[in-house]
Amino acid sequence: MPKQLIIDGTEIEVEDGITLIQACEQAGVEIPRFCYHERLSIAGNCRMCLVEVVGMPKPQASCALGVNDLPPNRDGTPKVINTRSPMVKKAREGVMEFLLINHPLDCPICDQGGECDLQDQAMAFGKGGTRYHENKRAVDEKYLGPLIKTMMTRCIQCTRCVRFMTEVAGVEELGAIGRGEDMEITTYLEQGMMSELSANVVDLCPVGALTHRPWAFNARPWEMRKTESIDVMDALGAAIRVDTRGREVMRILPRNNDAVNEEWITDKSRHVADGLRTQRLDQPYLRRSGRLEPATWTEALSVVAGKLKSTPSARIGAIAGDLAGAEEMFALKSLLAARGVTNLDCRQDGAKLDPSLGRASYLFNATIEGIEQADAILLVGTNPRVESAVLNGRIRKRWRQGGISIGLVGEAADLTYGCEHLGTGADTLQEIAEGKNAFAGILRQAKHPLIIVGMGAAARPDGTAVLALAAKIAIDASAGKAAGWNAFNILHTAAARVAGLDLGFVPGKDGLDVAGMMAAASEGRLDVLYLLGADEIDMSRLGGTFVIYQGSHGDAGAHRADVILPGAAYTEKDAIYVNLEGRAQMTAKAAFPPGDAREDWTILRQLSTLMDATLPFDTIGALRGLMVKSAPALAALDAVTPAAISGVERLAALKGKLGAEPFSASVRDFYTTNPIARASAIMAELSAIKAGDGRIRAAAE
């Protein structure tokens, strides 16, 4: 039942059950706060959000007082809330004075300067001076790992970082010791935090106590140009902001998108920026006498055109990598289709996903937000914590609310939430499908069941049979449930995968998939292989095949290449990516490619001219116009269109023999999953730490 309140003289109707600070926000009134955060539990310990409730003798902490807790007026009139009265002004000034008693006045040398809530609120709600002239308290620095720089003397004990690590990241490594003046935020054993989401605490910190260690003292916020873009380190498609100074990407921060990443990003997404500067391909190369030597664009493209024109189409193949944008995949497919090439694949890992069955057979159909409705989840061949850490946080968020059962078929792992390990292989999945496992009953009784299938199950030789079995379980679990609920979900790990499947970048009639091309290359039946940023295949099996590599980094593909065509990274082009739930999103050009590198679609457009098969577009707009005709789903940016469940039904009808081997993880090292991450010194350090005993040691050790 809605509540009537009078806030600063304006009568409004607010939702039942919300807090007073939320009611004030709905009324358009700004309430200062340090400890309160919309996505964390209420602590009520900074007291900056004090307001006056007429009829109550003292100022009230609006974050901890619900509108339902307000005592009613005797005459039945709405409660009156004042946020700008002399009482409130004096109370807030007093709170701010206490907060600044021990705070060092080092704003000019603080990395938080310019983005500091304490600065802003001291100016807006504080006094012009202090009455405290004693010595300030000093606190020893803490070592929280290679990503987080600390200056704990600045800490105001808001505990946002503690609540985030405990509630969202699910890693109970940060907390408070001591009482009163001696209270300190620390990792209890003075060791760094190992969580894929740990660096989000820097965004949460309202003062300069926690800042980005890799970014320390590099630039000030007002020196940089801010570009809103999309992350491609996994298939989630998190909203990010890329900050650049000149041609250089300085840092990457999260943007709010409730439907996808809320306001969190992974440590890899945030700190991979140094990988955008190193190991870059900045000019074309040709292999002459066994060595790669610099070449001009004309020379390199002429060699490529000559090879593609002179080679029979059946002996040409193309593989699209995990970071390729939709535009370049469409351009490459169009170019090779003109030559009659059918050996195409965007599934580097060999996942048995078939777009001809329908979109629902390869999407996360319940959507990311839909996880919060689930009451039973079956994880098949996946470890969401390393494959999509932010999505894993969404599952944990649902688990913390209670009333949900989670089962795992595959390698046992610490997923940060309670999970029943049902088995390791397809035999367990078969038992669930046949109703011989108790979890089958849980799925049937659930109102909103989810079956989440990872690449560890889909990329096996028996992937088709495993996917068909999972689809059958999903259909059985969905029977009689809410209309429109599709329990079948694929957890992709590659940002480019869904767009590639939408565009049909898969083998045509009699065409070879990745495994077939690798076998043909090793046997001498494949003469030319075009790698569009594909680095995750076994280059040692390519034999004497002529390899064309188009990409941004000098990774495995470039080392094996006979011709290198330097392309643009995701921060250097406007490209469409489709996330795992089928949401088309666009990156934005925040910087220019280095040296002579070019945007990928322009390379293919020029190559088509030299091949006498000119592609029918000269601009990115014309390319997209043709592209969305072949894949209409790419036209609706930032929208999810539910896919027909018939795709899952067709998948469930497929037959195949199940293998006996257990499901294995598709991501072994969270920090080095793509060429940009492997070029990052920060990711290399984190990977080395993880490969050790998994613990970041304190500096003294």
Side-chain angles (χ1 to χ4, degrees), residues 169-173 194 196 383-386 392 396 408 411-419 690:
V171 178
E172 297 182 354
E173 293 183 350
M194 278 312 286
E196 297 76 19
N383 179 350
R385 181 170 175 181
V386 293
N392 191 67
R396 174 175 168 78
L408 170 65
E411 287 186 16
D414 177 11
L415 298 176
T416 74
Y417 41 80
C419 181
K690 194 71 174 178

Side-chain angles (χ1 to χ4, degrees), residues 169 194 250 257 281 303 354 376 387 456-457 479 493 509 594 596 620 656 660:
M194 278 312 286
M250 301 300 296
N257 187 342
L281 300 174
V303 170
D354 186 356
E387 293 171 25
T493 55
K509 186 179 180 183
D596 290 334
I620 189 73

Side-chain angles (χ1 to χ4, degrees), residues 229-240 252 265-266 268-270 272 495 570 577 585 587:
S229 190
I230 299 299
D231 175 56
V232 300
M233 291 297 109
D234 56 29
L236 189 82
I240 60 172
I252 296 170
I265 57 172
T266 66
K268 179 167 61 177
S269 301
R270 183 187 299 266
V272 80
Y570 71 104
Y577 290 85
Q585 302 179 107
T587 61

Side-chain angles (χ1 to χ4, degrees), residues 5-12 27 29 79-84:
L5 294 176
I6 298 175
I7 300 177
D8 287 347
T10 303
E11 184 171 347
I12 69 163
V29 176
K79 267 300 191 189
V80 177
I81 314 297
N82 293 323
T83 70
R84 300 188 181 98

Side-chain angles (χ1 to χ4, degrees), residues 145-380:
L147 299 183
I148 303 168
K149 184 175 184 293
T150 64
M151 176 68 172
M152 300 311 289
T153 299
R154 300 173 186 152
C155 179
I156 61 171
Q157 282 97 37
C158 70
T159 68
R160 278 186 182 182
C161 54
V162 176
R163 284 175 285 147
F164 172 82
M165 293 303 298
T166 303
E167 296 166 14
V168 179
V171 178
E172 297 182 354
E173 293 183 350
L174 199 63
I177 59 173
R179 292 173 65 85
E181 186 186 33
D182 297 322
M183 179 177 170
E184 296 182 22
I185 304 295
T186 179
T187 53
Y188 303 107
L189 301 178
E190 289 286 331
Q191 69 187 41
M193 298 184 294
M194 278 312 286
S195 166
E196 297 76 19
L197 300 172
S198 63
N200 287 291
V201 299
V202 175
D203 296 331
L204 291 172
C205 185
V207 296
L210 305 177
T211 54
H212 290 136
R213 186 183 292 273
W215 192 70
F217 310 122
N218 279 350
R220 286 296 199 185
W222 55 84
E223 298 177 330
M224 296 180 291
R225 187 176 72 252
K226 301 164 181 61
T227 307
E228 295 186 350
S229 190
I230 299 299
D231 175 56
V232 300
M233 291 297 109
D234 56 29
L236 189 82
I240 60 172
R241 192 187 86 196
V242 181
D243 288 0
T244 55
R245 185 173 62 184
R247 295 177 62 116
E248 189 174 354
V249 174
M250 301 300 296
R251 64 175 181 177
I252 296 170
L253 297 175
R255 285 189 296 121
N256 191 74
N257 187 342
D258 287 346
V260 180
N261 61 306
E262 297 184 302
E263 57 190 84
W264 321 123
I265 57 172
T266 66
D267 292 352
K268 179 167 61 177
S269 301
R270 183 187 299 266
H271 286 294
V272 80
D274 68 318
L276 293 165
R277 300 190 289 268
T278 55
Q279 300 278 2
R280 290 304 302 268
L281 300 174
D282 59 359
Q283 61 181 334
Y285 286 88
L286 284 174
R287 191 174 293 279
R288 299 186 177 106
S289 304
R291 293 186 59 183
L292 284 169
E293 297 178 357
T296 65
W297 272 108
T298 303
E299 290 174 330
L301 290 174
S302 296
V303 170
V304 173
K307 274 287 182 183
L308 291 175
K309 286 170 65 177
S310 62
T311 305
S313 60
R315 300 179 74 89
I316 299 173
I319 302 173
D322 294 346
L323 304 182
E327 290 84 355
E328 52 256 37
M329 285 191 284
F330 175 74
L332 180 58
K333 183 187 177 187
S334 301
L335 177 64
L336 295 179
R339 284 279 294 111
V341 176
T342 57
N343 303 324
L344 307 172
D345 209 344
C346 64
R347 305 162 299 184
Q348 280 191 100
D349 54 10
K352 304 299 188 287
L353 301 168
D354 186 356
S356 67
L357 297 173
R359 250 185 139 218
S361 68
Y362 59 85
L363 290 184
F364 199 96
N365 292 288
T367 72
I368 299 164
E369 277 189 304
I371 291 172
E372 297 187 24
Q373 299 180 51
D375 46 4
I377 298 177
L378 177 64
L379 302 170
V380 181

